[in-house]
Every structure is written in C-alpha cells, then in structure tokens.
Amino acid sequence: MTTNCIKFTSADIETAKGVGSISTLTFDLDITVEPVASANPMAPTHRVLGRSPRGKLVECGGIWKKQSKETGADYYTLTIRDHGFNANLGKAANQDDLSLQAIIPWGPKDAA
C-alpha cells in the first residue's frame, strides 16, 4: 500500500473500517481505523490505532467529520496525538476509488 493513505472497507467512510500508513521524516506508523458510535456531535467518527514498540494495538488518535465554513462541504481530519500530527483526508491522486483516502498533512496553527 502507498504511504500516507487509508483504505476504507467502503466509500461510506463514516461507517467503514480501514487500514493505512503514515510516513514522515520522524515516524513511520501502520494504522487501523475503527468507527465510533456516539450521539455526541463533537465525538470523533473513528478511533485511530497503532502498534506500540512491543506490538500491542493502542489508540493513538482520531478522525473527525467537519464542515467547510466557506462551501458547507463535509470533510475529515485526522490527528495522531503523540506526534502532534494533523491532516485532512481527501481523494487520493489519480484514483477514482473514494474508499482510498490520501492523508494530507498540515501544520499546527501558530499561536498568535
């Protein structure tokens, strides 16, 4: 699998499980994502799980559904807590498969 992508089990990302990987200059992480059922609109849509150095599956982040203030379009963001890593999910380049989502990193906002 290409790095910095998640392959979901269906194009209905909000309810689908997925597997992927994130590679940067400082870490390389295989991830599993599992949907979260919650009535709380601020809750993540998915738990992000990675492997500890001893191989145990641990929760390391989340995926949230957001809405663009400009267009009203829905989109997803991903966070990996221990690495301060933030990203948006989007259609992978040269792909028609909506279940394959690219992980598009963005830096933290400057504290003004």
Side-chain angles (χ1 to χ4, degrees):
M1 168 174 278
T2 307
T3 59
N4 297 340
C5 286
I6 299 172
K7 176 65 174 169
F8 287 91
T9 54
S10 78
D12 181 12
I13 292 170
E14 195 162 349
T15 60
K17 293 181 179 185
V19 295
S21 65
I22 303 170
S23 297
T24 72
L25 293 175
T26 57
F27 71 95
D28 188 15
L29 186 63
D30 289 328
I31 59 172
T32 300
V33 297
E34 297 178 350
V36 173
S38 176
N40 180 348
M42 301 302 287
T45 59
H46 294 78
R47 299 168 55 206
V48 177
L49 307 162
R51 296 251 175 224
S52 73
R54 292 182 33 198
K56 297 191 184 294
L57 205 55
V58 294
E59 188 169 346
C60 62
I63 295 175
W64 284 263
K65 186 175 184 177
K66 306 261 179 128
Q67 192 171 57
S68 169
K69 291 178 183 172
E70 286 120 25
T71 67
D74 291 335
Y75 67 99
Y76 293 89
T77 64
L78 174 141
T79 300
I80 303 296
R81 287 186 305 269
D82 289 352
H83 297 288
F85 181 84
N86 300 299
N88 289 335
L89 300 183
K91 183 178 170 186
N94 301 316
Q95 293 290 320
D96 292 328
D97 182 358
L98 294 179
S99 68
L100 181 63
Q101 292 286 302
I103 299 170
I104 306 159
W106 52 269
K109 293 183 179 176
D110 293 333

